[in-house]
Amino acid sequence: MSYTESIGSRTYRFADLKTLMAKASPQRSGDQLAGVAAASEEERVAAKMSLAQVPLRTFLNEALIPYESDEVTRLVIDGHSPQAFAEIAHLTVGDFRNWLLSSTTDADALTRIAAGLTPEMVAAVSKLMRNQDLIAAARKRPVITRFRNTVGLPGRMSVRLQPNHPTDDVKGIAASMLDGLMYGCGDAMIGINPASDNLAAITKLLVMIDDFRQRYQVPTQSCVLTHVTNTIAAIEKGAPVDLVFQSIAGTEKANAGFGISLALLQEAYEAGLSLKRGTVGNNLMYFETGQGSALSADAHFGVDQQTCEVRAYAVARKFNPFLVNTVVGFIGPEYLYDGKQITRAGLEDHFCGKLLGVPMGCDICYTNHAEADQDDMDNLLTLLGVAGINFIMGIPGADDVMLNYQSTSFHDALYVRDVLGLRRAPEFEEWLESMQITDARGALLSASPQQPLLEGARDWMGIA
């Protein structure tokens, strides 16, 4: 069905819900590149006004990508819970925004309705919200996951220690690991983006991290971010796999471009579960996403990039992930042009993921050809800390020397924890104190040669 909205003497017409959603999106370069963005700010306002009047039920009857041709649409529709939806079924998108921001809507209410929300509903309401609305609503919705520690508790923020190396040099990676741990980072996980997809090299990294973890009894989890088929092969060969990684997108065609399907993800999930390596829980999938991935694969079907992104969270939700990471500025300025667009996208992604019940983190990042700088990242880091982000990245100097992009550093994590009073995962916090890295308040202690981690560093790093 079509939608109309008049402003003054001009009437705007939107051919279908997909078009209305795209025109209502805040300005971003990816939608302009795809030819789906509003032609003017007035048209954008008209689309928002019209979208606010759309009943939430409409999203159950008007699929943006056809049910018959897309397995992500089928996953969303077939998995929808009418019981969970009943509480908000009478609302329009605008009413839903008001309900989310009401002082009477709390974490319990947001948890109750999560299974009744489709990603399109969540994307739609985000388009009507200011940045402060996205922060306020997301903050109400903690999503807690467990493997060897507990991530996502209110008042806590974890860090993925990312010790990448351009040649996968084990000693270089170990040195970056040590650096990050001495700054109190690594409670989300120790996650390496390998330079090579060679199975032997991947296994070598997994064994190195696991040997270190066992030696020092670190309550964290490891991940080598290779294609899911490589991880399955590593599991079959007995490698010590903790978290199973895969990049995902919001359409079947885009996922096919990644070489995956829902069936393959299910196989990987079951392979990970079979190892029974978690000690406090069994959330073990780690997914990465990013606005623009479907567009870059010519697999968006005219749907705006943010709605495609939220559909990826529905894929993630099916597999009870430990962490989901929106790598917000990594794809480039073709999709998020500058610091303002990156900031808005990061807040949208976090809000939408949390509303769907997904444990959201964010790689607060940009590439060097984007109109952005570290001050923009500082702003987004602070806003996401207020919003209750589950985890961020910890990278030496905020400069990834293998992937060649700018992110957040170990020091950035110290900053946001300090100014917002955020703590680490409780099990990891206790370990840091036992290793004399932090005090009982979580503050860093001065390092000494007798500090247990430093004392044994030359040995476990293999330095003579």
Side-chain angles (χ1 to χ4, degrees), residues 152-458:
L153 291 166
R156 297 181 183 266
M157 185 199 73
S158 297
V159 175
R160 170 190 161 188
L161 204 175
Q162 184 170 302
N164 294 344
H165 192 279
T167 63
D168 289 340
D169 180 76
V170 172
K171 291 180 181 179
I173 289 171
S176 292
M177 280 174 51
L178 178 64
D179 189 25
L181 289 163
M182 291 300 295
Y183 279 103
C185 295
D187 50 341
M189 69 165 170
I190 299 172
I192 302 168
N193 298 84
S196 167
D197 271 340
N198 177 275
L199 188 57
I202 291 163
T203 302
K204 186 176 182 180
L205 294 176
L206 286 167
V207 169
M208 183 272 288
I209 302 175
D210 200 58
D211 286 349
F212 161 77
R213 181 191 62 79
Q214 292 190 60
R215 176 188 292 241
Y216 292 101
Q217 298 182 310
V218 192
T220 191
Q221 34 285 319
S222 65
C223 185
V224 174
L225 282 66
T226 186
H227 192 270
V228 69
T229 53
N230 290 331
T231 303
I232 293 171
I235 290 172
E236 291 173 346
K237 289 183 176 296
V241 173
D242 286 345
L243 303 186
V244 177
F245 164 78
Q246 184 55 49
S247 293
I248 58 173
T251 72
E252 180 178 349
K253 184 179 178 182
N255 282 325
F258 286 136
I260 61 167
S261 64
L262 296 181
L264 181 59
L265 292 178
Q266 184 67 36
E267 180 185 349
Y269 178 48
E270 292 173 1
L273 287 174
S274 72
L275 298 178
K276 300 179 180 179
R277 290 176 60 83
T279 55
V280 299
N282 61 1
N283 301 111
L284 55 81
M285 299 299 285
Y286 173 58
F287 294 117
E288 287 193 343
T289 68
Q291 288 195 28
S293 58
L295 175 57
S296 67
D298 191 25
H300 62 104
F301 302 98
V303 177
D304 67 90
Q305 69 179 40
Q306 188 245 344
T307 301
C308 283
E309 170 74 1
V310 185
R311 284 168 57 92
Y313 305 153
V315 174
R317 179 170 63 173
K318 175 176 171 58
F319 301 102
N320 303 312
F322 182 66
L323 306 169
V324 176
N325 179 28
T326 169
V327 191
V328 67
F330 184 74
I331 301 181
E334 299 87 351
Y335 307 101
L336 296 170
Y337 179 72
D338 56 16
K340 182 176 182 179
Q341 291 188 14
I342 291 171
T343 297
R344 174 69 189 192
L347 294 175
E348 287 171 347
D349 293 351
H350 177 249
F351 161 81
C352 291
K354 284 291 184 67
L355 217 59
L356 288 173
V358 172
M360 289 302 298
C362 184
D363 191 341
I364 301 161
C365 63
Y366 64 102
T367 55
N368 287 320
H369 60 309
E371 292 294 323
D373 59 26
Q374 211 65 44
D375 286 337
D376 294 311
M377 301 307 104
D378 288 348
N379 293 342
L380 180 54
L381 170 64
T382 306
L383 294 172
L384 285 172
V386 174
I389 193 81
N390 278 32
F391 73 101
I392 61 168
M393 301 294 112
I395 296 171
D399 182 10
D400 192 300
V401 296
M402 196 280 283
L403 293 173
N404 294 312
Y405 77 114
Q406 310 304 310
S407 185
T408 47
S409 71
F410 307 142
H411 298 80
D412 294 331
L414 293 176
Y415 147 75
V416 76
R417 284 185 173 130
D418 181 54
V419 298
L420 298 178
L422 300 172
R423 305 191 68 159
R424 301 169 180 88
E427 301 89 345
F428 193 78
E429 194 172 64
E430 292 176 10
W431 177 80
L432 289 173
E433 185 179 357
S434 73
M435 296 296 289
Q436 302 168 35
I437 296 173
T438 63
D439 63 19
R441 298 176 296 108
L444 291 182
L445 298 171
S446 297
S448 72
Q450 290 73 42
Q451 194 276 338
L453 201 57
L454 289 178
E455 193 171 41
R458 295 180 66 86

Side-chain angles (χ1 to χ4, degrees), residues 89-109:
H90 61 290
L91 300 178
T92 64
V93 176
D95 293 333
F96 185 38
R97 172 191 175 274
N98 295 337
W99 183 87
L100 288 169
L101 297 173
S102 169
S103 60
T104 59
T105 300
D106 57 12
D108 288 341

Side-chain angles (χ1 to χ4, degrees), residues 5-50:
E5 187 66 39
S6 296
I7 296 180
S9 60
R10 181 163 187 177
T11 298
Y12 290 90
R13 287 180 169 78
F14 309 99
D16 51 26
L17 187 57
K18 173 170 60 177
T19 302
L20 179 65
M21 293 269 284
K23 302 291 188 184
S25 294
Q27 183 179 17
R28 62 205 57 200
S29 53
D31 290 339
Q32 292 172 321
L33 180 67
V36 302
S40 67
E41 286 302 318
E42 184 173 280
E43 184 181 25
R44 182 171 288 111
V45 169
K48 288 177 184 287
M49 293 169 64
S50 182

Side-chain angles (χ1 to χ4, degrees), residues 68-149:
E68 297 76 16
S69 60
D70 187 90
E71 68 174 1
V72 177
T73 300
R74 293 194 291 274
L75 171 69
V76 169
I77 298 300
D78 295 348
H80 181 258
S81 169
Q83 294 76 23
F85 183 60
E87 186 170 345
I88 56 169
H90 61 290
L91 300 178
T92 64
V93 176
D95 293 333
F96 185 38
R97 172 191 175 274
N98 295 337
W99 183 87
L100 288 169
L101 297 173
S102 169
S103 60
T104 59
T105 300
D106 57 12
D108 288 341
L110 294 176
T111 302
R112 282 196 309 271
I113 68 164
L117 295 174
T118 69
E120 290 82 2
M121 293 176 193
V122 173
V125 76
S126 75
K127 298 176 192 300
L128 306 184
M129 301 176 87
R130 293 169 56 186
N131 286 1
Q132 67 172 251
D133 299 336
L134 298 172
I135 293 167
R139 186 175 175 84
K140 297 181 183 184
R141 178 58 163 111
V143 179
I144 301 165
T145 56
R146 296 175 173 87
F147 189 75
R148 284 200 192 90
N149 60 23

